[in-house]
Amino acid sequence: MKQTDSVTNNTQSLPDPDVMYAALVRRDSSFEGVFVAAIRTTGIFCRPSSSARKPKPENVEYFPDAKTALANGYRECKICRPLVALGSTPEWLQPLIEEVEQDTSIRLQAEDLRERGLDPVRVRRWFQKLHGMSFTAYLRMRRINQAFSQIQRKTPVTNAAFQSGYESLSGFGEGFKKTMGTAPAKSNGQQVIAVSRILTPLGPMLAGATEQGICLLEFTDRRMLETQLNRLQKHLNAKALPGDSRFFPLLEAQLQAYFAGKRTEFDLPLITPGTAFQQKVWAALQTIPSGETRSYREQAEIIGQPTAVRAVARANGDNRIAILIPCHRVIGADGSLTGYGGGLWRKQRLLEIENAEVTQVK
């Protein structure tokens, strides 16, 4: 097997080997997309979060991605499946997901899952891990989302309830009020933010959309994600619920093209509620060409407030639509990478995709 110095020979930069080994030992999922670990003694490569037995440091070689590890003669670990996108639907669950997507009013209990050859506990655990809620709660919120959309289109509440799979108006009213915070007949003026997960080479992202456009796109492991979502719901007088949007297929297709190096701009409508200053900063971010970077000071000068460097940095951090509003293109005055909610390693990867020249992460 070919042996290489992965840190110096890989085209993409990697963290220090000690940092990567420590992440491998503690099974740190935040390093997913940063590297894969290839084990010289076994000839396999693993995710950073792999539960497989940990090798000695001297027996590990690091690569930026699975493709590079395969090119160097390693094969995939059968335990952690590094060739499968993190967060993707497992084969055993795919038929159920397709069934749910085809019928948003579907109601399934534990016995229904068993009849489909599925373990209800296993299904619940997967939904809890990926969506932060049980399978039953996920179905209920999708039904409420559908009913709300129908009511907003002037469908009578009774019709919306029964068309969304509810068997009684009382049950529908109770579930609707619990989720939306108000009775169905009093929901005018509210709106729903449909949320869905989108898989990317740098990890899963949570996308949000209203009827008008995309209002959220964040990596799911961002620490501020819950805060950002709560602020967004308050700004828009909305509730975030699992559901579909006409914008999601286009968003996913454009992101795939971007990560493949085939797209540099996005043409989706964006919803960006915020202060006048934040709006100005976010608009300036969208003028930075792909492959280029600016400093925070340059951003402050562009918006006509050269002394507001720190305020510009805070507004960058409050950006809720990653990649499409490219706050990752703003770097330190010395060319170093600073301040990115999705993690500096992702910021560097995004700039590498765009062929921007930056100083190594320190």
Side-chain angles (χ1 to χ4, degrees), residues 29-310:
S29 61
S30 69
F31 279 78
E32 291 288 348
V34 181
F35 71 87
V36 296
I39 319 304
R40 294 188 173 106
T41 52
T42 61
I44 67 171
F45 66 94
C46 303
R47 299 180 180 277
S49 58
S50 176
S51 61
R53 183 177 178 181
K54 305 308 176 188
K56 295 180 179 179
E58 60 269 23
N59 292 331
V60 187
E61 184 174 9
Y62 301 98
F63 298 98
D65 51 44
K67 179 181 178 180
T68 312
L70 289 168
N72 279 267
Y74 290 95
R75 62 185 186 277
E76 178 191 23
C77 172
K78 299 302 182 183
I79 296 176
C80 65
R81 305 285 303 280
L83 290 176
V84 177
L86 187 66
S88 60
T89 305
E91 291 183 9
W92 60 269
L93 190 61
Q94 190 61 44
L96 179 66
I97 296 299
E98 292 175 357
E99 184 177 2
V100 169
E101 289 178 347
Q102 291 171 5
D103 183 4
T104 55
S105 66
I106 194 170
R107 299 172 65 95
L108 296 172
Q109 304 299 326
E111 186 58 36
D112 298 314
L113 296 178
R114 293 190 186 96
E115 289 177 357
R116 289 163 172 77
L118 298 171
D119 179 359
V121 174
R122 190 183 187 191
V123 173
R124 184 181 71 247
R125 286 175 177 171
W126 187 87
F127 272 85
Q128 193 68 49
K129 181 178 180 180
L130 267 292
H131 297 282
M133 66 184 76
S134 68
F135 177 59
T136 301
Y138 178 82
L139 292 183
R140 182 175 63 250
M141 288 191 173
R142 282 179 63 90
R143 293 197 300 274
I144 292 294
N145 187 344
Q146 174 179 284
F148 178 86
S149 297
Q150 292 177 334
I151 292 171
Q152 294 300 95
R153 293 194 294 268
K154 309 304 181 183
T155 299
V157 171
T158 301
N159 292 355
F162 292 130
Q163 289 173 13
S164 299
Y166 284 87
E167 298 175 353
S168 72
L169 284 178
S170 60
F172 171 67
E174 181 180 349
F176 191 99
K177 188 172 184 179
K178 182 178 180 180
T179 301
M180 302 298 296
T182 187
K186 299 180 180 179
S187 60
N188 287 336
Q190 272 197 318
Q191 60 180 325
V192 162
I193 300 170
V195 294
S196 181
R197 290 188 175 233
I198 293 179
L199 300 181
T200 79
L202 300 187
M205 301 186 79
L206 187 69
T210 66
E211 290 292 330
Q212 291 73 44
I214 300 296
C215 60
L216 178 73
L217 184 64
E218 289 281 12
F219 290 100
T220 58
D221 59 0
R222 183 182 179 182
R223 284 179 292 181
M224 285 286 289
L225 179 56
E226 184 175 355
T227 299
Q228 291 283 43
L229 193 53
N230 288 337
R231 289 175 180 171
L232 188 60
Q233 291 177 105
K234 184 176 181 180
H235 275 302
L236 298 176
N237 186 28
K239 285 291 183 179
L241 298 174
D244 300 320
S245 166
R246 60 193 174 96
F247 298 112
F248 288 159
L250 185 57
L251 173 61
E252 187 168 6
Q254 292 192 11
L255 283 173
Q256 288 178 351
Y258 168 81
F259 281 108
K262 299 178 181 179
R263 173 178 283 272
T264 59
E265 296 180 355
F266 300 88
D267 55 7
L268 292 155
L270 306 181
I271 309 301
T272 58
T275 66
F277 180 81
Q278 288 175 325
Q279 296 278 358
K280 192 182 297 185
V281 171
W282 298 336
L285 286 173
Q286 295 176 73
T287 67
I288 307 175
S290 178
E292 297 183 17
T293 59
R294 290 180 188 159
S295 69
Y296 293 99
R297 183 171 299 280
E298 288 172 330
Q299 280 292 91
E301 292 172 349
I302 284 173
I303 66 171
Q305 296 182 242
T307 61
V309 177
R310 291 187 178 180

